[in-house]
Amino acid sequence: MFGLQGSLYVLSLGDERSTPLLLRLNLSSGEWTEIGELPTVLDTPSLTSYDGCLVICGLDAAEAGSGEQKLITYNPVDGTWGSYDSANIPLYTTIVDANESLYLVGGTRNPDDENQTLDTVFSFDPENGAVTEVASLSAPGCGLQAVASGSTIAV
């Protein structure tokens, strides 16, 4: 669930192989609108906003064993879907926007090896896909909940 431009956006996940549905609640009118299905099935998605768009981060679950993390964008102004280069981001990471910068919290490099679970916060540059370590968490974790207020990220 995430608020953007006077609306609340919610992902309706369904079962593990169905494509998540993006819904919007207009906070002024109280009316729900079905935006549509995401371009792919995502496991453990997280939502944030950046540059006027929703950014949805999750593991591509469209095909079993694909093991690719995806960053999908939705522009509510023109209703278009897009994406960012996600080749360098950890699996099962959580995305959050703090002070108009994107951060990735926790995750893993190998979901089959608990010793590869990360205790790291990374900055993410959507222009070139660069990932840079900026902080450490008190403990490693995957699929964490994170929220930002100003430049503070709470996990």
Side-chain angles (χ1 to χ4, degrees):
M1 180 179 337
F2 199 84
L4 178 65
Q5 299 176 354
S7 294
L8 185 65
Y9 290 84
V10 178
L11 282 177
S12 174
L13 299 179
D15 65 40
E16 64 186 41
R17 289 290 171 230
S18 65
T19 304
L21 184 65
L22 184 63
L23 305 169
R24 178 180 62 223
L25 173 63
N26 182 310
L27 296 173
S28 298
S29 69
E31 293 184 30
W32 284 98
T33 303
E34 183 178 302
I35 301 301
E37 292 183 340
L38 270 63
T40 189
V41 179
L42 296 177
D43 186 17
T44 320
S46 59
L47 293 163
T48 195
S49 66
Y50 178 76
D51 197 26
C53 294
L54 280 177
V55 181
I56 306 164
C57 179
L59 189 71
D60 186 346
E63 295 184 37
S66 71
E68 271 187 70
Q69 195 76 11
K70 297 288 186 181
L71 289 173
I72 298 169
T73 62
Y74 175 73
N75 184 330
V77 174
D78 62 15
T80 57
W81 294 96
S83 64
Y84 291 132
D85 179 2
S86 58
N88 298 317
I89 67 173
L91 304 176
Y92 297 106
T93 193
T94 300
I95 194 160
V96 63
D97 177 335
N99 270 357
E100 299 180 26
S101 295
L102 291 174
Y103 295 90
L104 305 168
V105 180
T108 183
R109 296 289 180 200
N110 180 354
D112 297 323
D113 182 354
E114 67 182 46
N115 293 323
Q116 298 226 8
T117 301
L118 303 172
D119 64 351
T120 313
V121 177
F122 301 93
S123 66
F124 175 75
D125 184 341
E127 297 299 318
N128 60 21
V131 174
T132 305
E133 184 175 334
V134 295
S136 295
L137 301 169
S138 60
C142 291
L144 302 169
Q145 298 291 318
V147 65
S149 178
S151 62
T152 302
I153 298 173
V155 180

Coordinates of all heavy atoms in Angstrom, one line a residue, residues 59-101:
L59 N 10.6 -10.1 -6.8 CA 11.2 -11.1 -7.5 C 10.3 -11.6 -8.6 O 9.1 -11.9 -8.4 CB 11.5 -12.3 -6.6 CG 12.4 -13.4 -7.2 CD1 13.8 -12.9 -7.4 CD2 12.4 -14.6 -6.3
D60 N 10.8 -11.7 -9.9 CA 10.0 -12.2 -11.0 C 9.6 -13.6 -10.8 O 10.5 -14.5 -10.8 CB 10.8 -12.0 -12.3 CG 10.0 -12.3 -13.5 OD1 8.9 -12.9 -13.4 OD2 10.4 -12.0 -14.6
A61 N 8.4 -13.9 -10.6 CA 7.9 -15.3 -10.3 C 7.1 -15.8 -11.5 O 6.4 -16.8 -11.4 CB 7.0 -15.3 -9.1
A62 N 7.2 -15.2 -12.7 CA 6.4 -15.6 -13.8 C 6.8 -17.0 -14.3 O 6.0 -17.8 -14.7 CB 6.6 -14.6 -15.0
E63 N 8.1 -17.3 -14.1 CA 8.6 -18.6 -14.5 C 9.4 -19.1 -13.3 O 10.2 -18.5 -12.7 CB 9.5 -18.6 -15.7 CG 8.7 -18.2 -16.9 CD 9.6 -18.2 -18.2 OE1 10.5 -19.2 -18.2 OE2 9.5 -17.4 -19.0
A64 N 9.1 -20.4 -12.8 CA 9.7 -20.9 -11.7 C 11.2 -20.9 -11.9 O 11.7 -21.3 -12.9 CB 9.2 -22.4 -11.4
G65 N 11.9 -20.5 -10.8 CA 13.4 -20.5 -10.8 C 14.0 -19.4 -11.6 O 15.2 -19.4 -11.9
S66 N 13.3 -18.4 -12.1 CA 13.9 -17.3 -12.9 C 14.9 -16.5 -12.1 O 15.9 -16.1 -12.6 CB 12.8 -16.4 -13.4 OG 12.2 -15.6 -12.4
G67 N 14.6 -16.3 -10.8 CA 15.6 -15.6 -9.9 C 16.0 -14.2 -10.3 O 17.1 -13.8 -10.0
E68 N 15.1 -13.4 -11.0 CA 15.4 -12.1 -11.3 C 14.6 -11.1 -10.5 O 13.4 -11.2 -10.4 CB 15.1 -11.8 -12.8 CG 16.2 -12.2 -13.8 CD 15.8 -11.7 -15.2 OE1 15.7 -10.5 -15.4 OE2 15.6 -12.6 -16.0
Q69 N 15.2 -10.1 -9.9 CA 14.5 -9.1 -9.2 C 14.1 -8.0 -10.3 O 14.9 -7.8 -11.2 CB 15.4 -8.4 -8.2 CG 14.7 -7.6 -7.2 CD 14.0 -8.3 -6.1 OE1 14.1 -9.5 -6.0 NE2 13.2 -7.6 -5.4
K70 N 12.9 -7.5 -10.2 CA 12.4 -6.5 -11.2 C 12.1 -5.2 -10.5 O 11.6 -5.2 -9.3 CB 11.2 -7.1 -11.8 CG 11.4 -8.3 -12.7 CD 12.1 -8.0 -13.9 CE 12.2 -9.2 -14.8 NZ 12.9 -9.0 -16.0
L71 N 12.3 -4.1 -11.2 CA 11.8 -2.8 -10.8 C 10.9 -2.3 -11.8 O 11.3 -1.9 -12.9 CB 13.0 -1.8 -10.6 CG 13.9 -2.1 -9.4 CD1 15.1 -1.2 -9.5 CD2 13.2 -1.9 -8.1
I72 N 9.6 -2.3 -11.5 CA 8.5 -1.9 -12.4 C 8.0 -0.5 -12.0 O 7.9 -0.2 -10.8 CB 7.4 -2.9 -12.4 CG1 7.9 -4.2 -12.9 CG2 6.2 -2.4 -13.3 CD1 6.9 -5.4 -12.7
T73 N 7.8 0.4 -13.0 CA 7.2 1.7 -12.6 C 5.8 1.9 -13.2 O 5.5 1.2 -14.2 CB 8.1 2.8 -13.2 OG1 8.2 2.7 -14.6 CG2 9.5 2.7 -12.6
Y74 N 5.0 2.7 -12.5 CA 3.7 3.0 -13.0 C 3.6 4.5 -12.9 O 3.7 5.1 -11.8 CB 2.6 2.3 -12.3 CG 1.2 2.8 -12.7 CD1 0.7 2.4 -13.9 CD2 0.5 3.7 -11.9 CE1 -0.5 2.8 -14.4 CE2 -0.8 4.1 -12.4 CZ -1.2 3.7 -13.6 OH -2.5 4.2 -14.0
N75 N 3.3 5.2 -14.0 CA 3.1 6.6 -14.1 C 1.5 6.9 -14.0 O 0.8 6.6 -15.0 CB 3.6 7.2 -15.4 CG 3.5 8.7 -15.4 OD1 2.6 9.3 -14.8 ND2 4.5 9.3 -16.1
P76 N 1.0 7.4 -12.9 CA -0.4 7.6 -12.8 C -0.9 8.8 -13.6 O -2.1 8.8 -13.9 CB -0.6 8.0 -11.3 CG 0.7 8.5 -10.8 CD 1.8 7.8 -11.7
V77 N -0.1 9.6 -14.1 CA -0.5 10.8 -15.0 C -0.9 10.3 -16.3 O -2.0 10.6 -16.8 CB 0.6 11.8 -15.1 CG1 0.2 12.9 -16.1 CG2 0.9 12.4 -13.7
D78 N -0.1 9.4 -17.0 CA -0.5 8.9 -18.3 C -0.8 7.4 -18.3 O -1.1 6.9 -19.4 CB 0.6 9.3 -19.3 CG 2.0 8.6 -19.0 OD1 2.0 7.7 -18.2 OD2 3.0 9.0 -19.6
G79 N -0.8 6.8 -17.2 CA -1.2 5.4 -17.1 C -0.2 4.4 -17.8 O -0.7 3.3 -18.1
T80 N 1.0 4.7 -17.9 CA 2.0 3.8 -18.5 C 2.9 3.1 -17.5 O 3.1 3.5 -16.4 CB 2.9 4.6 -19.5 OG1 3.6 5.6 -18.7 CG2 2.1 5.3 -20.6
W81 N 3.3 1.9 -18.0 CA 4.2 1.0 -17.2 C 5.6 1.2 -17.8 O 5.7 1.4 -19.0 CB 3.8 -0.4 -17.3 CG 2.5 -0.7 -16.7 CD1 1.2 -0.8 -17.3 CD2 2.2 -1.0 -15.3 NE1 0.3 -1.1 -16.4 CE2 0.8 -1.2 -15.1 CE3 3.0 -1.1 -14.2 CZ2 0.3 -1.5 -13.9 CZ3 2.5 -1.3 -12.9 CH2 1.1 -1.6 -12.8
G82 N 6.6 1.1 -16.9 CA 8.0 1.1 -17.4 C 8.8 0.2 -16.5 O 8.3 -0.5 -15.7
S83 N 10.1 0.4 -16.5 CA 11.0 -0.4 -15.7 C 12.3 0.3 -15.5 O 12.7 1.2 -16.3 CB 11.2 -1.8 -16.2 OG 11.8 -1.8 -17.4
Y84 N 13.1 -0.1 -14.5 CA 14.5 0.4 -14.3 C 15.4 -0.9 -14.4 O 14.9 -2.0 -14.2 CB 14.7 1.0 -12.9 CG 14.0 2.3 -12.7 CD1 13.2 2.5 -11.5 CD2 14.1 3.3 -13.6 CE1 12.6 3.7 -11.3 CE2 13.5 4.6 -13.3 CZ 12.8 4.7 -12.2 OH 12.2 5.9 -11.9
D85 N 16.6 -0.6 -14.8 CA 17.6 -1.7 -14.8 C 17.8 -2.3 -13.4 O 18.1 -1.6 -12.5 CB 18.9 -1.2 -15.3 CG 20.0 -2.2 -15.4 OD1 19.8 -3.4 -15.1 OD2 21.2 -1.8 -15.8
S86 N 17.5 -3.6 -13.3 CA 17.5 -4.2 -12.0 C 18.6 -5.3 -11.9 O 18.6 -6.1 -11.0 CB 16.2 -4.8 -11.6 OG 15.7 -5.7 -12.6
A87 N 19.5 -5.3 -12.9 CA 20.5 -6.4 -12.9 C 21.4 -6.5 -11.7 O 21.8 -7.6 -11.3 CB 21.4 -6.2 -14.2
N88 N 21.6 -5.4 -11.0 CA 22.6 -5.4 -9.9 C 21.9 -5.4 -8.5 O 22.7 -5.3 -7.5 CB 23.5 -4.1 -10.0 CG 24.3 -4.1 -11.3 OD1 24.8 -5.2 -11.6 ND2 24.4 -3.0 -11.9
I89 N 20.6 -5.5 -8.4 CA 20.0 -5.4 -7.1 C 19.8 -6.8 -6.5 O 19.6 -7.8 -7.2 CB 18.7 -4.6 -7.1 CG1 17.6 -5.3 -7.9 CG2 18.9 -3.2 -7.7 CD1 16.3 -4.6 -7.8
P90 N 19.9 -6.9 -5.2 CA 19.7 -8.1 -4.5 C 18.3 -8.7 -4.6 O 17.4 -8.0 -4.9 CB 20.0 -7.8 -3.0 CG 20.6 -6.5 -3.0 CD 20.2 -5.8 -4.3
L91 N 18.2 -10.0 -4.5 CA 16.9 -10.7 -4.5 C 16.2 -10.4 -3.2 O 16.9 -10.2 -2.2 CB 17.1 -12.2 -4.7 CG 17.9 -12.6 -5.9 CD1 18.1 -14.1 -5.9 CD2 17.2 -12.2 -7.2
Y92 N 14.9 -10.4 -3.2 CA 14.1 -10.2 -2.0 C 14.4 -8.9 -1.3 O 14.3 -8.8 0.0 CB 14.1 -11.4 -1.1 CG 13.6 -12.6 -1.7 CD1 14.4 -13.6 -2.2 CD2 12.2 -12.8 -2.0 CE1 13.9 -14.8 -2.8 CE2 11.7 -13.9 -2.6 CZ 12.6 -14.9 -3.0 OH 12.1 -16.0 -3.6
T93 N 14.9 -7.9 -1.9 CA 15.2 -6.6 -1.3 C 13.9 -5.8 -1.2 O 12.9 -6.0 -1.9 CB 16.3 -5.8 -2.1 OG1 16.8 -4.8 -1.3 CG2 15.8 -5.3 -3.4
T94 N 13.9 -4.7 -0.4 CA 12.8 -3.8 -0.2 C 13.2 -2.5 -0.7 O 14.3 -2.0 -0.4 CB 12.4 -3.7 1.3 OG1 12.0 -5.0 1.7 CG2 11.3 -2.8 1.5
I95 N 12.4 -1.8 -1.5 CA 12.7 -0.5 -2.0 C 12.0 0.6 -1.2 O 10.9 0.4 -0.8 CB 12.4 -0.4 -3.5 CG1 13.1 0.8 -4.1 CG2 10.9 -0.4 -3.8 CD1 13.2 0.8 -5.6
V96 N 12.7 1.7 -1.0 CA 12.1 2.8 -0.3 C 12.8 4.1 -0.8 O 13.9 4.1 -1.3 CB 12.4 2.7 1.2 CG1 13.8 2.7 1.6 CG2 11.6 3.7 2.0
D97 N 11.9 5.2 -0.9 CA 12.4 6.5 -1.3 C 12.6 7.4 -0.1 O 11.7 7.5 0.7 CB 11.4 7.1 -2.2 CG 11.7 8.6 -2.7 OD1 12.5 9.2 -2.0 OD2 11.2 9.0 -3.7
A98 N 13.8 7.9 0.1 CA 14.1 8.8 1.2 C 14.7 10.1 0.6 O 15.7 10.0 -0.1 CB 15.0 8.2 2.2
N99 N 14.0 11.2 0.8 CA 14.5 12.5 0.3 C 14.8 12.4 -1.2 O 15.8 12.9 -1.7 CB 15.8 13.0 1.0 CG 15.5 13.8 2.2 OD1 14.3 14.1 2.4 ND2 16.5 14.2 2.9
E100 N 13.8 11.8 -2.0 CA 13.9 11.8 -3.4 C 15.1 11.0 -3.9 O 15.6 11.2 -5.0 CB 13.8 13.2 -4.0 CG 12.5 13.9 -3.7 CD 12.4 15.2 -4.3 OE1 13.1 15.5 -5.3 OE2 11.7 16.1 -3.7
S101 N 15.6 10.0 -3.1 CA 16.6 9.1 -3.6 C 16.1 7.7 -3.2 O 15.4 7.5 -2.3 CB 17.9 9.3 -2.8 OG 18.5 10.5 -3.1

